[in-house]
Amino acid sequence: MTADADRPVFLDSYPTSYFCPPATRAGPACARAPSSSSLPPSAPPVGFDDKPTQQGIHGYPPVADGFVAHDAWRIKASSAVIDGEIVVPAADGTTDFSVLQNELKGKSTKIVLVAFDLLYLNGRDLRKLPLIQRKGELKKILIGTDVQFSERFEIEGREMFAHACKLGLEGVVSKVRDGSYPKGRTSDWVKKTCIQRETLTIAGFALDEGKWDGIYVGRLKGDDLIYAGKVDHGFDKASAADLQKRLKPLIRKTQPYTKRIAHKGIWVEPKLLAEIEYRAKSAEGKVRHPFFRGLREDL
C-alpha cells in the first residue's frame, strides 16, 4: 500500500505527515499521501533523481546501485528521470531506516524502489505538467517492473492525517494535484508530522564523559520489558540533574530488559515511568525522534 505525494506510504513507521496548503487547496485539488520516511533517494546512475539536490544512490554501497539498476532496466522507456526512494518493507508494510542501513551493508534482495514522480521521459521535460499527469505517465512505464508505484489518495486532509497517525505513520505529504514539479521549498508540497505520546519505563541512563546523555526506555509486555529506544532530547540542566538524582538509588548491575541490547548504559530497576513524545515507531517498536516530557508519578 503506497500513496501519492512527496514520500511513499508503505505504512511506514517513519512516515511523515503533510497537509495541503489552506482552504483553497483542500479537497480534490490536492493529492495526499502518508509518507514513509525521509529515506535516502534513488538517483542519477540509474536515472532516478531526488528533487532539488539530485543526490544519488552512488553514495551507497554497490548493493543499492546494483539492485535498483536491475529494476531500472525493466522500466518501459528509453530514458527517464524518476523521483523516488529506496526502502525495505516489513511484513506489515512498514519501513524502517535502520533496517535499510543494515541491508545496505550486505547483499540484500529486500530493497524496494518506490517511485512517486516523473521529471523527464524519453528526453522530454515533464516538470511543468500537472502532477496528476506526470503520475499517470509514471504508472504506465512501471507496469511489469518490480518498482513500486506510489499511489495517490484524494481525500479530506484531516481524515487522512488522523488515519495516518492512528496507523503509527510519521505523517502525511500533500501536493497540489495540478501543480508542476517545484524548485526548492514550496507551499505546493506540504509536510505535517504526527506527534504521539506514550508512558514508557525507564531502564537506565547514559553519561558521555560524565555529562548527561539521556535515558533508555522500555515497554512492558506482560512480565517482559522490551527495549523501546534511547531518549536524549527534552532535558535541560535542572531536569537532567533531578532525574539522575532520582535514578541513582535504583542502579543495578544488569540490564532490566528481557532481551539484552548492545548499548552501554547505567542500568536501573524499572520503577520510574516517563512520558515520551515521539513521531513514530520502528517495526521493532523503537520510538523515533523521542522527546522527554517528564516523569509520570500519578501512575
Side-chain angles (χ1 to χ4, degrees):
M1 177 180 180
T2 56
D4 180 35
D6 180 36
R7 297 293 172 213
V9 175
F10 248 146
L11 294 188
D12 195 3
S13 51
Y14 199 137
T16 347
S17 241
Y18 310 74
F19 267 140
C20 250
T24 56
R25 289 177 180 163
C30 285
R32 292 185 177 77
S35 156
S36 78
S37 44
S38 301
L39 299 181
S42 35
V46 290
F48 299 101
D49 181 41
D50 176 52
K51 294 194 294 300
T53 60
Q54 294 194 351
Q55 292 176 328
I57 60 170
H58 48 280
Y60 291 139
V63 60
D65 277 338
F67 192 78
V68 177
H70 179 267
D71 289 342
W73 275 109
R74 301 180 182 181
I75 292 175
K76 296 175 176 62
S78 58
S79 66
V81 176
I82 294 173
D83 193 352
E85 66 178 284
I86 55 173
V87 299
V88 177
D92 61 358
T94 61
T95 64
D96 185 336
F97 184 43
S98 62
V99 174
L100 174 63
Q101 289 178 312
N102 290 333
E103 290 293 325
L104 290 173
K105 294 176 182 177
K107 294 182 178 180
S108 174
T109 58
K110 299 178 181 179
I111 295 173
V112 174
L113 171 66
V114 181
F116 38 79
D117 209 336
L118 181 61
L119 285 69
Y120 294 86
L121 178 61
N122 298 329
R124 187 163 60 105
D125 187 348
L126 307 183
R127 291 176 297 173
K128 292 185 179 180
L129 294 180
L131 170 64
I132 192 79
Q133 188 173 340
R134 298 197 307 273
K135 288 191 72 71
E137 294 292 328
L138 175 61
K139 189 171 186 177
K140 291 177 186 177
I141 66 173
L142 296 182
I143 294 175
T145 75
D146 292 328
V147 177
Q148 174 74 56
F149 176 71
S150 181
E151 294 284 357
R152 71 179 185 278
F153 293 90
E154 296 190 19
I155 188 173
E156 199 281 321
R158 292 182 185 279
E159 181 182 350
M160 170 61 87
F161 181 64
H163 188 60
C165 294
K166 185 178 180 180
L167 291 175
L169 304 185
E170 187 182 332
V172 175
V173 178
S174 295
K175 291 182 179 180
V176 175
R177 186 177 64 171
D178 298 324
S180 60
Y181 192 88
K183 294 181 179 179
R185 294 184 179 276
T186 170
S187 60
D188 283 359
W189 290 12
V190 182
K191 166 183 176 179
K192 185 173 177 63
T193 55
C194 298
I195 296 179
Q196 303 177 56
R197 282 199 177 198
E198 186 176 356
T199 299
L200 297 171
T201 302
I202 299 178
F205 60 98
L207 297 178
D208 183 6
E209 296 183 352
K211 296 182 180 179
W212 181 260
D213 193 37
I215 57 175
Y216 292 102
V217 294
R219 188 178 290 106
L220 281 171
K221 291 187 177 181
D223 295 329
D224 295 333
L225 183 63
I226 309 300
Y227 177 60
K230 182 186 177 189
V231 182
D232 50 16
H233 291 286
F235 305 97
D236 55 23
K237 288 185 178 180
S239 63
D242 178 65
L243 187 52
Q244 188 173 350
K245 182 179 179 181
R246 299 281 296 272
L247 290 171
K248 277 185 175 180
L250 301 176
I251 290 177
R252 53 184 280 173
K253 293 182 178 179
T254 59
Q255 294 185 14
Y257 294 119
T258 303
K259 183 178 180 181
R260 288 179 57 83
I261 62 173
H263 300 289
K264 292 183 179 180
I266 300 171
W267 309 110
V268 300
E269 296 294 338
K271 296 185 179 298
L272 294 183
L273 301 176
E275 186 72 3
I276 305 300
E277 184 178 278
Y278 58 92
R279 292 185 180 177
K281 290 186 289 189
S282 72
E284 295 82 20
K286 290 185 290 185
V287 290
R288 289 186 173 280
H289 308 292
F291 194 93
F292 176 74
R293 285 299 183 186
L295 290 176
R296 290 296 302 269
E297 302 188 71
D298 55 328
L299 299 177

